[in-house]
Amino acid sequence: MARYTCLNLSCGRTTENAWMPVKTCPHCKGTVLRPEVTTTVPSSSQPVVRTVAPIGKATTSKPPGKATIPTPTQTSSGKALTVAMPPHPLLLSDILVQLFELFDERSVGLLARVCRRWHHAATIVLRRYVADARGFGSGSGLTMKSQILGLLANTRNLSLAVDKFMPVSYGDSDSILAYIVKHRIKLTLKLGTPNQKLLEQLQKASQNPHFIYQRHEIQALRKQRKKPALLDYKAETITQFSDLEHELDSGHVQTGLMHNKFWILDNNGIVTGSPNVSFSAMEGGNFESCIYIRSAKLAPLYQRYFQLLSKPYSADSLDWQAFEKQVAHYNSSSTRVKAAFAPTVNISNFIVENLLGAIKITVRQFLVSTAGIDDDYSIVPVLCKMAEQGADIEVFLDEAAYDKYRFVQEAAVRLMQSGGKVYVQTPVTVVGGQERLQHDKLILATFHNGVKRTLLGSAGATVSVIANINAENFLCLDLPTVYDELMAHHRNTQEGRTTTPLVLK
């Protein structure tokens, strides 16, 4: 049993610990401890064993954390007492921390349980992981609505920033809006595309239960002497990003949008990815993907960003400057998850920085564009250069978007000329009068050192993103479990006759 003595002269108490180094005193808190060492005093009889704390003179001021090397002292018999310093107690822990950095979060958690001696080092590494994360997509065969509603279970407060929230029909008791009402979830909505009809429906849902409930549901509740719930909500349309503009080579002025698609669940869970709250995205058969993260560190960033969306963006704004510093601090301290929030961070640059060095990249995007920019630092030019250098580049586009937009065709040709492989996808059928789309905003990359990297969010590789005039969010995750789940989604989208390879003419 190791004994540790507090260096605080006003405390001086000892503590014992059998299996891990102790850094702070459990009595006075925050004071650096030093282990006691065993010494032998030679004499004519049997050696006498004493416990001596390696503490310097009380009058000597030393910075906390630095050991004072004791000098030989004299015993009552005049013989020298020599104290040997032990190995630094954190040496083994430091080695284990570096070793555990090579493992994924599940392996580290298992090691921490298997051996108590590894628990301290494993805990240091586990703190750098998110508490809970998983990727999910429509390629699994489940609708996005069913998967998101599963995440909303037990949620009491929902903050939703989305480009489109489509109106629902009268008495639609199976919609996401109906679920929010029936489970008494308080909704705060920030909408990118103005929709007066939706705002009128939200108002009706807050006043009249008949708008959401079907008749038999209301009767059943009244028999149970329960009142049907009403919607508790705040709604706002965000248009201030239209002040950010970009002039194209053709002279057309591109206007910025609030294009985010993220959900904040009770201030600690985040859902972000490609789907809007629309029929085609939630249940109409689009190819869509999301990630769910429950993280006490990441959620406050999203909450602050959500609040700032109500304020016009300006590089001179103190609030936006403070948020930019907050994001930079998070990214510098997090080793597994990094975040980008446009326009404080240029998401095109963020993606490029986190793809450099990859040996295989799979890009799933609704739209891609070179944006008329040949600065070799936009997404498409960088992918072209990496393909020329031998990286395996695959790009999957929406077939309808490819057929419709010339700039998508030009980007695809440029990728193929550089050695990249380009495919178009369509979910085959038309449902409910709305065409299904390959709407993913997903990038999967692998590296020589075995890292599996996932980049995902609301941003496409379009002019507005490259010019950094949209309000968007994007995440970079080095979490093997998330990569594997979203790679399974990607492979599932290739089943059947959904994918067609493009060939240079």
Side-chain angles (χ1 to χ4, degrees):
M1 182 77 69
R3 295 172 59 85
Y4 296 82
T5 299
C6 181
L7 294 182
N8 185 350
L9 297 179
S10 63
C11 178
R13 285 180 281 187
T14 61
T15 186
E16 296 182 346
N17 196 295
W19 58 274
M20 61 174 266
V22 178
K23 292 184 176 181
T24 59
C25 176
H27 307 292
C28 63
K29 307 295 183 185
T31 303
V32 175
L33 302 179
R34 281 291 175 264
E36 295 181 347
V37 294
T38 301
T39 61
T40 303
V41 182
S43 66
S44 57
S45 59
Q46 290 294 329
V48 178
V49 178
R50 276 186 185 169
T51 301
V52 180
I55 304 175
K57 296 180 180 179
T59 57
T60 304
S61 176
K62 294 290 183 181
K66 295 186 178 180
T68 302
I69 300 177
T71 57
T73 59
Q74 297 294 322
T75 65
S76 59
S77 61
K79 295 184 179 181
L81 174 65
T82 303
V83 180
M85 289 297 293
H88 193 285
L90 295 182
L91 181 60
L92 179 59
S93 176
D94 292 340
I95 294 173
L96 288 174
V97 167
Q98 295 182 21
L99 180 63
F100 290 163
E101 287 285 356
L102 303 176
F103 300 164
D104 63 62
E105 67 275 23
R106 291 185 179 178
S107 300
V108 177
L110 178 61
L111 291 173
R113 290 177 177 272
V114 169
C115 184
R116 293 184 64 193
R117 293 189 178 186
W118 297 343
H119 182 82
H120 179 64
T123 301
I124 294 174
V125 177
L126 285 172
R127 286 196 195 104
R128 302 175 188 175
Y129 291 107
V130 293
D132 183 22
R134 70 181 185 89
F136 54 98
S138 56
S140 65
L142 300 174
T143 65
M144 294 301 300
K145 184 177 84 170
S146 64
Q147 295 178 84
I148 289 179
L149 291 184
L151 297 174
L152 288 178
N154 301 318
T155 298
R156 287 295 169 262
N157 293 280
L158 171 63
S159 299
L160 174 59
V162 65
D163 178 28
K164 296 178 182 178
F165 193 129
M166 302 304 294
V168 298
S169 59
Y170 183 87
D172 186 355
S173 62
D174 294 326
S175 65
I176 285 181
L177 181 59
Y179 185 94
I180 291 171
V181 171
K182 293 177 182 179
H183 290 77
R184 302 179 186 273
I185 301 173
K186 183 176 180 180
L187 172 66
T188 305
L189 173 65
K190 300 204 174 180
L191 194 64
T193 301
N195 193 321
Q196 187 59 38
K197 185 176 180 181
L198 171 66
L199 297 179
E200 292 172 358
Q201 290 185 346
L202 295 177
Q203 182 67 21
K204 289 178 181 178
S206 69
Q207 297 174 344
N208 179 12
H210 290 276
F211 181 75
I212 291 298
Y213 291 89
Q214 293 184 1
R215 184 176 180 181
H216 68 89
E217 292 175 318
I218 294 179
Q219 290 175 341
L221 287 171
R222 286 175 176 168
K223 286 181 180 179
Q224 300 171 17
R225 296 184 178 180
K226 295 180 180 179
K227 290 184 178 181
L230 296 174
L231 177 63
D232 181 5
Y233 84 101
K234 292 181 182 178
E236 179 184 3
T237 300
I238 308 299
T239 58
Q240 80 276 1
F241 283 91
S242 61
D243 295 335
L244 297 175
E245 298 178 340
H246 175 70
E247 185 174 351
L248 302 180
D249 293 344
S250 62
H252 171 72
V253 176
Q254 187 76 21
T255 303
L257 304 170
M258 203 296 287
H259 194 249
N260 284 290
K261 308 166 200 319
F262 67 85
W263 313 55
I264 305 174
L265 317 181
D266 287 334
N267 298 322
N268 64 7
I270 304 296
V271 179
T272 187
S274 64
N276 289 298
V277 185
S278 63
F279 175 81
S280 57
M282 289 294 158
E283 47 192 325
N286 277 9
F287 289 153
E288 308 272 7
S289 52
C290 273
I291 185 170
Y292 167 75
I293 295 181
R294 183 173 56 82
S295 168
K297 287 187 175 181
L298 183 61
L301 289 181
Y302 271 91
Q303 190 65 50
R304 183 56 180 153
Y305 183 57
F306 184 81
Q307 295 167 356
L308 285 174
L309 290 176
S310 299
K311 298 184 178 182
Y313 172 77
S314 171
D316 298 328
S317 167
L318 295 179
D319 288 335
W320 281 101
Q321 289 176 1
F323 176 68
E324 186 174 355
K325 291 179 181 178
Q326 188 179 358
V327 175
H329 175 72
Y330 171 82
N331 286 338
S332 64
S333 61
S334 175
T335 59
R336 295 292 186 261
V337 180
K338 299 186 187 301
F341 301 89
T344 59
V345 177
N346 186 307
I347 289 180
S348 179
N349 294 350
F350 176 80
I351 292 173
V352 166
E353 290 166 1
N354 287 287
L355 286 182
L356 295 178
I359 57 175
K360 179 175 176 59
I361 300 174
T362 301
V363 178
R364 297 185 54 81
Q365 282 283 1
F366 176 54
L367 299 171
V368 294
S369 172
T370 59
I373 300 173
D374 197 13
D375 59 4
D376 291 335
Y377 209 64
S378 301
I379 299 173
V380 170
V382 169
L383 291 176
C384 291
K385 184 170 289 188
M386 294 179 71
E388 291 170 355
Q389 295 172 351
D392 185 0
I393 307 295
E394 294 182 325
V395 179
F396 292 77
L397 305 172
D398 178 67
E399 186 172 16
Y402 174 81
D403 292 338
K404 181 177 180 180
Y405 297 111
R406 182 175 179 82
F407 66 87
V408 178
Q409 299 169 12
E410 292 173 351
V413 169
R414 188 167 175 181
L415 284 162
M416 289 186 289
Q417 288 174 338
S418 301
K421 290 169 278 188
V422 182
Y423 305 84
V424 291
Q425 285 189 319
T426 181
V428 180
T429 61
V430 174
V431 177
Q434 299 185 40
E435 186 174 358
R436 294 181 174 184
L437 303 172
Q438 195 290 90
H439 196 246
D440 281 318
K441 313 285 190 296
L442 173 65
I443 303 173
L444 302 166
T446 55
F447 294 77
H448 280 292
N449 58 3
V451 169
K452 295 179 176 181
R453 180 163 293 170
T454 306
L455 293 108
L456 173 145
S458 65
T462 59
V463 172
S464 298
V465 173
I466 296 169
N468 198 31
I469 60 176
N470 275 6
E472 308 265 13
N473 75 97
F474 226 76
L475 292 177
C476 174
L477 309 105
D478 289 352
L479 301 176
T481 52
V482 171
Y483 176 96
D484 292 340
E485 288 162 345
L486 289 173
M487 179 57 77
H489 157 72
H490 165 62
R491 288 171 178 157
N492 288 337
T493 67
Q494 297 178 275
E495 295 179 357
R497 299 180 180 179
T498 62
T499 306
T500 304
L502 295 181
V503 181
L504 278 172
K505 295 180 181 179

